[in-house]
Amino acid sequence: MKRTEADCIIIGAGPAGLKAGTILQSLGYKIFILEKEYQPGGKLLLWNTLFPHDESAMEILNPLLKDQKKNIMTSVQIETITKSPEEFTVADQNQTIYTSPALFISTGFKPFNAGRKEEYGYGIYDNVITSVELEDKLKNNNITMTNGKVPGKVAMIHCVGSRDIKVGNEYCSSVCCITGIKQAMELGKRIPGIQVSCLYMDLRLNGRFYEDNYKMAQMSHKIQFIRGRLSETNEDVDGSLVIRYEDTLAGKPAKMIVDMIVLLVGMQLDKSVSRICPLINEQTGTDGFFGTGKIDFSSNPQKDGLFFAGACTGPKNITESMNEASRVAFEVHHFLKNSLISEIHDRHDRFRLQNS
Amino acid sequence: MIGMTDFGFKIHKDQLLDQDRPNVAYKEMIEKVPSLSLCISCGSCTATCNSSEMTGMGFRKLHLYLKTGLYVNLKRGLKYCQYCGKCWLVCPRGVNTRKAIVEMKRIFEIYKT
Amino acid sequence: MESFFVIPFTIGLIFLIISLTASYIRWFMALRIKNKVRLKKALSIKWLVVSLVEVFRECLLHIRIFKVNKRLWYMHMSLAFGWFLLILAGHIETISKTGTFFASPYKAIFLDFYTRGHLETGWSVTGFNYIMDILLIFVLSGLFLAIYKRFNAKLLGVGKTANHSSTDKVALAFLWLVFPARLIAETLNHTFYDGGGFFTGFLGNLIYLQENYNFLSNAAWLFYSSVLGGFFILLPFSRYMHIFTEIPHIFLKNANIEVLHDDGITNFQVHACSSCGICLDTCQMNVKTGLMGQSLYFLRNLRNGKKPKENSIMNCLMCGRCKQVCPVQVDTLSIRMNERNRMNGKMNYDFSYLDEASWPAFQSRIVFFGGCMTRLTPAIREAMKKIFMLTGEDFIFIDEYEAICCGRPLLLSGQYEAFREIVNRTRRRILDCHPALIVTTCPICLNTFKNDYYFQIPVVHHSQYLNSLIKEGRFIPQRNGVKTVYHDPCELGRDLGIYSEPRKVLDSLVYLQNKDYKAGDGLCCGGSLADLELDVEEKMQIARETIEQIVTNDTQQLTTGCPLCKMTFQMAGLYPVKDLAEIYAESMITLPVEKITANMKIRNYSNMPVNR
Ligand SMILES: Cc1cc2nc3c(=O)[nH]c(=O)nc-3n(C[C@H](O)[C@H](O)[C@H](O)COP(=O)(O)OP(=O)(O)OC[C@H]3O[C@@H](n4cnc5c(N)ncnc54)[C@H](O)[C@@H]3O)c2cc1C
Ligand code: SF4
Ligand code: SF4
Ligand code: SF4
Ligand code: SF4
Ligand code: SF4
């Protein structure tokens, strides 16, 4: 059994965790970043380029990893998390024990399991894929259908597993609209003549430069935006997909034959830590993400040394995730400083007591 | 007040959706089926509707007709419903569509005589 | 002169008899001709004997309650059977004492009053006194339990005890007073006039009062008579109407009379309900009780002549669990359907557009009917197509591209005329293909096809079809070890009695954890089309509760045979859910090609289960 002490343990080495790590380290704290995958980086490892500026995900990731390699423990399966009045104790599958007064949770999100929307045909028809899988295809530059051909017509379906009471996720995942546009444009760039249609309920493009992306998609890539929501999918004998929706602006039921369907899956909390630790589980809000989401930061659970940041406190893009991580990193700093001061006071009191 | 409706913009009477006229039926419906107010007109219901293939009708439109006071269309559309319940199953907002349909039928007295 | 006190009792009794007779005649006249004919046909010695035995077993001994809940049974039985025996023994005693067979009823009831001072002795007198006292204690013990149940339902093993209406409460108070009143009357009688058995006589002797207080005894008799009379007058207006109505109800029930569309029989059944509350415990509507839609409350509102509110009529899954457990065997579902029909039966419809649809009408041996719900579950659809293709069947998937409805949702909502219209069209559409067999993956459609379509050809659920493949020795699937729990859809299990086939199929596919079942016990997934009031969260709550009750600790997947159950469970999202067709198709494609081609053939379907 190995025992290691630190000032702060960060769980999850996605952009949020890494950002917080960088800051805390630069402030002189001893930290550990525990990551369950064999490589740090979180979703940055999966994405090809990033909206809104088409930056490469790797270029964002590399500076975050710089100088931190020694702090990051990968392939860590956390088995228990306990708290005593002074510190958190985290134990992994090798019985290595990490202790620290502050625990920083940045476990990010899990993409919605698209198989639960059976009527969309994911897992049933070969050419129905999720945005996560498309990102992988883009990364490998291998955008083919199961028969090896390049798709000529693609439908991007918005709000899969978000804003849907029937799967229990009533929130908007906030990044999938712009992800759809990013991916549609990428398809347009790579496959000349491809027809991409986005089927949306509402377009929520509320970030900086998102509207520019939207306009670019319309202008340079002739992406079609259709206001309607997919209701049923069927497969034709030749393997092409028939989808049914209503063009709500035309007010007519419509069908479309496409080669490929991309489901823009939403975000769900990665429950791997809340499942093992009731203390953390208690912090789950009504929408299934951590924290209260209130502006008043003091209402968040950080006073006990427990901190949350990134996509685990609600759907966010990378910029927002890292911004929150930075802010919370300074909260950690504050907390550690205060507890240091109170510790000195304690010692002082004890000293006086002994000598009186 | 009568004169007021003529005030301002000119829209031809046939084309006008007069939103100043009180819509009693809508108010009553919202009371009976509160979830109706959650509809975001996504069209999932119409897309899956058994009758929409042939009639173009569907729950989204029924709701819209009710809300905008196009009762003649509404009455016609109500008759096509097969009550299969697929609109309920696909609705992302959990609108109680089938209850709304019977209640509308009742309010507009669509009965066989 | 002293026996004036019997007047309240007599008035009550006369009122009761007149009122009951009038009601029964009125309801009987309201029976539909069809049912009258059925009744006439049923008249036979056997029917009479069977019904009489059932009356004895159920109205007095309450055997069915015994099977559900022993303590509750003792309460019901001691009150009903005890009271009956009291009357019977009282009568025999009267006969033996007065020597006439036709003594007026009050003589028997108030016998101790009339035998004041007749200080006869002998074994028969002591014996009767003894028996009467035992019976009184017997009844009082039941009464004690009944009172206790009001305050602590748990003791009697009931989760919820019914909230009764105010008339019922007053009647209840009278009923509760009857036996204590009798106890007081007899005790005081024996205080002043000796006699009595080991209990009342003993109590009477304990009390010492001066002779001039003997008016108290008369007052007690008057009180007893008034309580009885009051109870009799209240009876026709309260749930105690069931005491007598259960008797004609049993006779009618045994004549196979249909409750649907018949107000006469509905009245008999509504009044036969004792508001015992057994159905409340099985009803899954606990998530929404505010509307009073559960059968007990629904029937009570009908009985009180208060029309049940529209939303209480509609707030029911029509799962049939209440009907299954009802000790009186009230056909709760049909009664509710009658109300729904009354409400919505005449609603207008226009399905003429269906005539313009271009239906595929190829002649095919098998018509596969997916139904509306299967359109939203492509996995089931694809699995069935694969299975038919690999078995080499000549089949048509009749609603693959255009939806048609079996009509059941309309039926369940009470829109009866519209329902008939859809049935006509869908029936024609299916028959245009001249099939030899109809297969459906939807129990809802199957239920309608079997009950309302009058097909001459067999209609089967896909589990039955798959089971027949396995039985014939073709396409014996490979078994994997996935720990699976099967959920019985209400319409397939309780309504159609199809329990074993899906289990047989699954047992050869996976590690089935619930091979054993009790017919009629299945839970509802909560998604039922029959309910109009539940919102999503409430439905999900039912679904989650159901899942939690059927799974075990190590369950890996859920299966079912109904697309609607599947979707509902998928929404609840606790476990992966599959239809049995999907599992079968998955196992089928692992079979070697030679094996498949060798077994491809078009069969004749003479061995398929026939329609009822
Ligand atoms: C399809 C898609 C495309 C996107 N594209 C973009 C884009 O182009 N631009 C943009 O700004 N945003 C994009 N986003 C959003 C972006 O992915 C998120 O904002 C970002 O990943 C959030 O970072 P995070 O660090 O909070 O979480 P994550 O990136 O999810 O990282 C969490 C990390 O924690 C680890 N972890 C989880 N549980 C445990 C545990 N119990 N123990 C140890 N480690 C654990 C995980 O393995 C993971 O490495 C996209 C999202 C989607 C769905
Ligand atoms: S961001 Fe767009 S696609 Fe995603 S949930 Fe919100 S509205 Fe739907
Ligand atoms: S599916 Fe629901 S939210 Fe969408 S249009 Fe229909 S009723 Fe409205
Ligand atoms: S219930 Fe009526 S409106 Fe809804 S999908 Fe079915 S036919 Fe259409
Ligand atoms: S319906 Fe049957 S089970 Fe329910 S209260 Fe009445 S008698 Fe009891
Ligand atoms: S049919 Fe089912 S839901 Fe309806 S009252 Fe009976 S038990 Fe309850």
Side-chain angles (χ1 to χ4, degrees):
Chain A
M1 197 158 57
K2 224 175 89 196
R3 201 184 170 89
T4 19
E5 280 180 26
D7 293 318
C8 180
I9 296 169
I10 299 174
I11 302 180
L18 291 172
K19 184 76 193 171
T22 315
I23 292 175
L24 287 171
Q25 201 189 1
S26 72
L27 289 171
Y29 292 106
K30 182 162 193 272
I31 54 152
F32 279 118
I33 308 183
L34 309 183
E35 169 58 54
K36 69 174 174 200
E37 301 296 329
Y38 70 97
Q39 240 184 320
K43 303 294 181 296
L44 283 175
L45 292 169
L46 305 178
W47 310 155
N48 176 45
T49 57
L50 304 176
F51 59 76
H53 288 306
D54 233 357
E55 291 158 287
S56 135
M58 278 304 149
E59 274 168 31
I60 302 294
L61 178 58
N62 289 332
L64 286 172
L65 291 176
K66 223 179 96 211
D67 299 336
Q68 287 219 80
K69 287 257 158 65
K70 62 172 179 12
N71 298 336
I72 302 174
M73 316 285 149
T74 52
S75 304
V76 176
Q77 301 297 324
I78 296 176
E79 277 172 0
T80 54
I81 302 175
T82 48
K83 185 179 188 318
S84 67
E86 292 86 30
E87 58 186 11
F88 288 94
T89 309
V90 179
D92 73 0
Q93 80 273 32
N94 305 322
Q95 306 306 317
T96 314
I97 293 182
Y98 305 88
T99 57
S100 71
L103 185 63
F104 188 104
I105 310 283
S106 54
T107 47
F109 71 94
K110 222 174 62 182
F112 172 73
N113 167 15
R116 276 182 68 200
K117 292 295 287 176
E118 184 176 346
E119 61 264 40
Y120 292 176
Y122 180 76
I124 301 161
Y125 303 122
D126 292 336
N127 293 317
V128 181
I129 62 170
T130 65
S131 48
V132 177
E133 287 162 350
L134 179 62
E135 204 68 40
D136 190 54
K137 282 179 191 279
L138 289 169
K139 210 168 154 160
N140 299 325
N141 200 10
N142 173 29
I143 312 151
T144 48
M145 305 187 294
T146 35
N147 61 7
K149 288 199 194 127
V150 174
K153 215 169 158 190
V154 175
M156 322 260 332
I157 312 299
H158 288 233
C159 304
V160 177
S162 320
R163 303 180 66 197
D164 187 352
I165 194 171
K166 298 289 159 64
V167 299
N169 297 345
E170 293 186 63
Y171 51 84
C172 164
S173 290
S174 96
V175 298
C176 20
C177 273
I178 180 71
T179 301
I181 286 177
K182 170 184 89 171
Q183 295 184 338
M185 284 198 291
E186 203 57 38
L187 287 174
K189 272 187 229 161
R190 304 223 190 151
I191 306 169
I194 192 172
Q195 283 180 40
V196 186
S197 313
C198 290
L199 269 74
Y200 68 93
M201 301 202 282
D202 295 288
L203 279 179
R204 299 199 163 162
L205 298 164
N206 44 8
R208 196 168 172 212
F209 293 111
Y210 286 9
E211 194 70 8
D212 293 345
N213 278 270
Y214 184 14
K215 277 159 82 179
M216 204 166 10
Q218 289 174 301
M219 272 304 273
S220 8
H221 301 287
K222 309 292 176 230
I223 312 289
Q224 291 304 307
F225 289 90
I226 299 168
R227 194 184 178 286
R229 185 167 173 267
L230 177 63
S231 74
E232 286 172 37
T233 312
N234 209 334
E235 198 180 42
D236 230 339
V237 269
D238 63 348
S240 57
L241 298 156
V242 191
I243 58 174
R244 253 178 89 166
Y245 59 93
E246 186 195 14
D247 189 322
T248 55
L249 300 180
K252 287 243 157 37
K255 70 165 191 178
M256 191 194 284
I257 300 175
V258 295
D259 297 324
M260 188 185 265
I261 295 176
V262 179
L263 305 175
L264 297 170
V265 285
M267 297 185 181
Q268 273 181 339
L269 182 75
D270 187 325
K271 292 209 178 104
S272 52
V273 286
S274 50
R275 207 173 289 135
I276 55 171
C277 178
L279 188 73
I280 298 175
N281 195 31
E282 268 168 31
Q283 305 302 332
T284 317
T286 47
D287 61 349
F289 289 96
F290 288 137
T292 58
K294 286 190 181 163
I295 300 171
D296 177 8
F297 214 69
S298 60
S299 71
N300 280 331
Q302 37 110 359
K303 45 189 178 297
D304 309 320
L306 192 56
F307 298 85
F308 299 96
C312 65
T313 66
K316 282 177 195 64
N317 63 23
I318 292 170
T319 323
E320 289 161 349
S321 301
M322 300 209 312
N323 286 352
E324 189 181 35
S326 318
R327 176 170 80 155
V328 177
F330 279 100
E331 299 288 338
V332 175
H333 169 54
H334 204 67
F335 171 80
L336 289 173
K337 215 174 67 189
N338 280 348
S339 49
L340 196 66
I341 291 172
S342 59
E343 202 179 309
I344 291 169
H345 278 300
D346 279 358
R347 269 193 219 151
H348 188 69
D349 288 349
R350 240 178 286 142
F351 183 74
R352 273 218 324 234
L353 234 107
Q354 275 170 8
N355 291 330
S356 64
Chain B
M1 279 309 279
I2 293 162
M4 291 295 273
T5 48
D6 293 334
F7 174 77
F9 312 110
K10 282 269 180 268
I11 300 176
H12 190 280
K13 220 173 155 201
D14 295 347
Q15 300 303 324
L16 178 71
L17 278 184
D18 192 350
Q19 294 299 299
D20 299 323
R21 209 173 46 194
N23 191 340
V24 187
Y26 184 61
K27 261 198 195 144
E28 199 178 324
M29 278 300 300
I30 291 285
E31 239 162 66
K32 287 199 160 147
V33 191
S35 60
L36 198 59
S37 43
L38 291 175
C39 174
I40 46 171
S41 262
C42 71
S44 309
C45 47
T46 310
T48 197
C49 177
N50 267 4
S51 74
S52 76
E53 303 164 345
M54 301 301 298
T55 64
M57 220 38 98
F59 188 78
R60 183 187 71 89
K61 280 195 186 167
L62 298 180
H63 172 233
L64 213 62
Y65 290 149
L66 173 75
K67 211 161 143 179
T68 49
L70 299 171
Y71 300 140
V72 180
N73 297 3
L74 174 62
K75 282 187 183 180
R76 186 161 48 85
L78 281 173
K79 287 194 211 166
Y80 298 147
C81 171
Q82 297 180 19
Y83 222 57
C84 65
K86 283 197 286 177
C87 45
W88 185 87
L89 281 163
V90 298
C91 176
R93 280 303 187 92
V95 175
N96 194 342
T97 54
R98 293 163 80 241
K99 169 149 193 190
I101 290 168
V102 267
E103 292 296 349
M104 284 195 273
K105 280 191 166 187
R106 206 168 285 137
I107 287 180
F108 291 100
E109 291 182 351
I110 311 209
Y111 293 113
K112 255 191 121 77
T113 40
Chain C
M1 276 319 253
E2 274 178 334
S3 55
F4 268 143
F5 75 89
V6 301
I7 287 174
F9 163 77
T10 316
I11 291 176
L13 190 64
I14 292 170
F15 176 81
L16 178 65
I17 292 169
I18 293 175
S19 155
L20 284 184
T21 333
S23 297
Y24 293 166
I25 290 177
R26 204 174 67 235
W27 300 339
F28 188 81
M29 298 309 280
L31 285 186
R32 288 179 64 199
I33 302 290
K34 202 171 91 187
N35 280 334
K36 281 187 187 149
V37 173
R38 280 191 185 202
L39 183 60
K40 210 170 148 197
K41 274 201 198 134
L43 297 179
S44 68
I45 299 293
K46 190 175 157 233
W47 165 76
L48 191 71
V49 173
V50 167
S51 305
L52 277 175
V53 170
E54 192 179 334
V55 166
F56 184 70
R57 281 170 59 103
E58 293 310 325
C59 301
L60 297 174
L61 297 183
H62 292 289
I63 303 294
R64 288 201 197 98
I65 301 187
F66 177 75
K67 286 181 187 151
V68 182
N69 181 336
K70 308 264 179 317
R71 274 170 285 182
L72 192 68
W73 161 76
Y74 181 78
M75 181 193 107
H76 279 268
M77 186 275 298
S78 59
L79 280 172
F81 194 47
W83 200 1
F84 172 75
L85 287 181
L86 261 183
I87 295 170
L88 189 73
H91 228 93
I92 297 173
E93 193 184 358
T94 321
I95 293 166
S96 83
K97 283 193 180 157
T98 58
T100 52
F101 190 76
F102 296 101
S104 38
Y106 53 82
K107 275 266 167 64
I109 303 281
F110 309 112
L111 188 67
D112 279 2
F113 175 83
Y114 288 105
T115 53
R116 271 180 181 177
H118 297 220
L119 286 177
E120 297 167 42
T121 45
W123 67 267
S124 77
V125 177
T126 346
F128 269 121
N129 284 342
Y130 202 86
I131 289 173
M132 292 302 276
D133 275 6
I134 286 189
L135 289 177
L136 188 59
I137 292 175
F138 184 45
V139 178
L140 283 170
S141 68
L143 180 68
F144 175 75
L145 278 180
I147 296 173
Y148 198 83
K149 172 171 170 258
R150 285 283 114 198
F151 300 105
N152 187 354
K154 283 274 151 24
L155 182 84
L156 287 187
V158 273
K160 291 152 250 116
T161 180
N163 289 320
H164 292 301
S165 69
S166 40
T167 333
D168 282 350
K169 279 187 192 143
V170 179
L172 180 77
F174 273 88
L175 178 63
W176 282 0
L177 279 177
V178 166
F179 304 102
R182 184 184 172 113
L183 181 65
I184 295 169
E186 295 207 338
T187 304
L188 287 177
N189 201 47
H190 303 320
T191 302
F192 298 105
Y193 303 100
D194 277 349
F198 70 97
F199 182 51
T200 49
F202 170 72
L203 285 181
N205 288 337
L206 269 189
I207 300 168
Y208 178 74
L209 285 169
Q210 287 210 314
E211 199 61 20
N212 51 353
Y213 282 107
N214 69 359
F215 67 90
L216 277 180
S217 168
N218 290 352
W221 282 115
L222 179 63
F223 180 62
Y224 178 38
S225 157
S226 312
V227 170
L228 269 176
F231 179 65
F232 288 158
I233 288 175
L234 282 168
L235 187 140
F237 308 105
S238 73
R239 69 193 178 103
Y240 299 104
M241 186 72 173
H242 81 89
I243 298 176
F244 296 103
T245 317
E246 205 177 333
I247 300 165
H249 160 65
I250 286 173
F251 280 93
L252 290 167
K253 184 171 60 84
N254 288 343
N256 273 329
I257 284 185
E258 261 186 24
V259 185
L260 210 58
H261 308 299
D262 191 324
D263 288 346
I265 189 79
T266 299
N267 265 321
F268 276 110
Q269 295 219 341
V270 163
H271 289 86
C273 163
S274 59
S275 287
C276 68
I278 288 181
C279 57
L280 281 189
D281 273 340
T282 46
C283 180
Q284 292 170 275
M285 271 302 173
N286 319 335
V287 297
K288 191 174 194 125
T289 46
L291 295 178
M292 296 280 181
Q294 290 159 302
S295 283
L296 180 150
Y297 300 117
F298 167 72
L299 292 174
R300 189 182 70 199
N301 278 340
L302 276 178
R303 188 173 54 227
N304 290 351
K306 257 192 260 157
K307 261 178 75 187
K309 290 221 188 66
E310 283 157 9
N311 48 13
S312 84
I313 297 175
M314 286 304 183
N315 189 24
C316 167
L317 302 158
M318 292 284 202
C319 64
R321 284 172 58 80
C322 50
K323 184 179 161 188
Q324 186 75 29
V325 293
C326 175
V328 186
Q329 299 193 324
V330 176
D331 187 353
T332 50
L333 296 188
S334 300
I335 295 174
R336 197 182 291 267
M337 274 321 303
N338 288 346
E339 285 314 300
R340 290 188 174 190
N341 283 334
R342 209 188 315 283
M343 249 167 68
N344 298 338
K346 291 222 165 310
M347 278 184 175
N348 210 344
Y349 56 87
D350 176 3
F351 300 137
S352 55
Y353 60 88
L354 286 174
D355 299 335
E356 294 153 33
S358 50
W359 296 340
F362 313 113
Q363 196 158 333
S364 310
R365 297 274 298 159
I366 291 188
V367 161
F368 170 49
F369 190 91
C372 303
M373 296 304 140
T374 307
R375 290 182 68 82
L376 292 175
T377 49
I380 303 179
R381 210 163 65 203
E382 295 305 318
M384 283 313 286
K385 280 204 288 192
K386 211 173 277 163
I387 290 168
F388 285 134
M389 236 109 82
L390 293 181
T391 46
E393 297 282 13
D394 167 30
F395 80 104
I396 179 171
F397 183 177
I398 197 165
D399 52 347
E400 180 167 20
Y401 298 114
E402 260 171 311
I404 29 169
C405 186
C406 66
R408 191 158 176 83
L410 278 170
L411 177 74
L412 287 171
S413 74
Q415 300 179 59
Y416 192 72
E417 292 188 12
F419 162 70
R420 296 289 351 156
E421 184 76 15
I422 289 273
V423 168
N424 289 340
R425 283 164 205 268
T426 306
R427 187 170 189 277
R428 192 161 6 103
R429 181 164 163 179
I430 292 173
L431 290 181
D432 277 351
C433 301
H434 303 287
L437 176 73
I438 301 170
V439 180
T440 176
T441 42
C442 180
I444 306 169
C445 302
L446 187 71
N447 204 356
T448 329
F449 288 167
K450 292 217 173 202
N451 289 321
D452 300 279
Y453 275 66
Y454 308 104
F455 282 127
Q456 303 302 316
I457 35 173
V459 188
V460 296
H461 185 242
H462 63 311
S463 65
Q464 295 174 307
Y465 173 79
L466 297 179
N467 189 38
S468 77
L469 283 182
I470 297 175
K471 244 186 8 208
E472 277 176 26
R474 305 191 307 149
F475 305 109
I476 302 289
Q478 262 164 352
R479 198 159 179 270
N480 65 36
V482 184
K483 297 202 177 79
T484 306
V485 163
Y486 172 72
H487 163 78
D488 284 301
C490 294
E491 308 232 14
L492 197 65
R494 237 184 322 276
D495 285 8
L496 297 170
I498 301 176
Y499 290 101
S500 66
E501 288 97 331
R503 284 184 169 77
K504 278 186 200 147
V505 174
L506 283 168
D507 197 28
S508 53
L509 286 166
V510 289
Y511 176 74
L512 186 62
Q513 292 185 301
N514 58 342
K515 253 193 272 181
D516 302 322
Y517 60 89
K518 195 165 154 240
D521 253 10
L523 291 158
C524 179
C525 68
S528 169
L529 286 169
D531 184 274
L532 283 191
E533 298 297 331
L534 295 177
D535 62 30
V536 184
E537 204 19 71
E538 288 156 342
K539 288 196 178 206
M540 288 305 103
Q541 200 180 327
I542 296 180
R544 282 192 292 264
E545 281 167 12
T546 298
I547 294 175
E548 271 152 24
Q549 285 194 42
I550 60 175
V551 295
T552 57
N553 281 338
D554 54 352
T555 301
Q556 291 169 309
Q557 74 177 355
L558 282 176
T559 54
T560 180
C562 172
L564 185 54
C565 297
K566 186 185 177 199
M567 267 186 281
T568 315
F569 285 157
Q570 244 161 9
M571 286 179 204
L574 296 179
Y575 284 86
V577 201
K578 275 188 181 159
D579 188 276
L580 45 89
E582 293 170 53
I583 308 180
Y584 192 89
E586 277 164 23
S587 121
M588 221 172 163
I589 46 177
T590 61
L591 288 175
V593 180
E594 317 84 64
K595 216 167 182 181
I596 291 179
T597 42
N599 277 312
M600 280 190 168
K601 67 168 184 230
I602 295 175
R603 307 183 295 155
N604 78 35
Y605 307 109
S606 49
N607 60 349
M608 285 292 176
V610 282
N611 305 330
R612 53 172 183 187

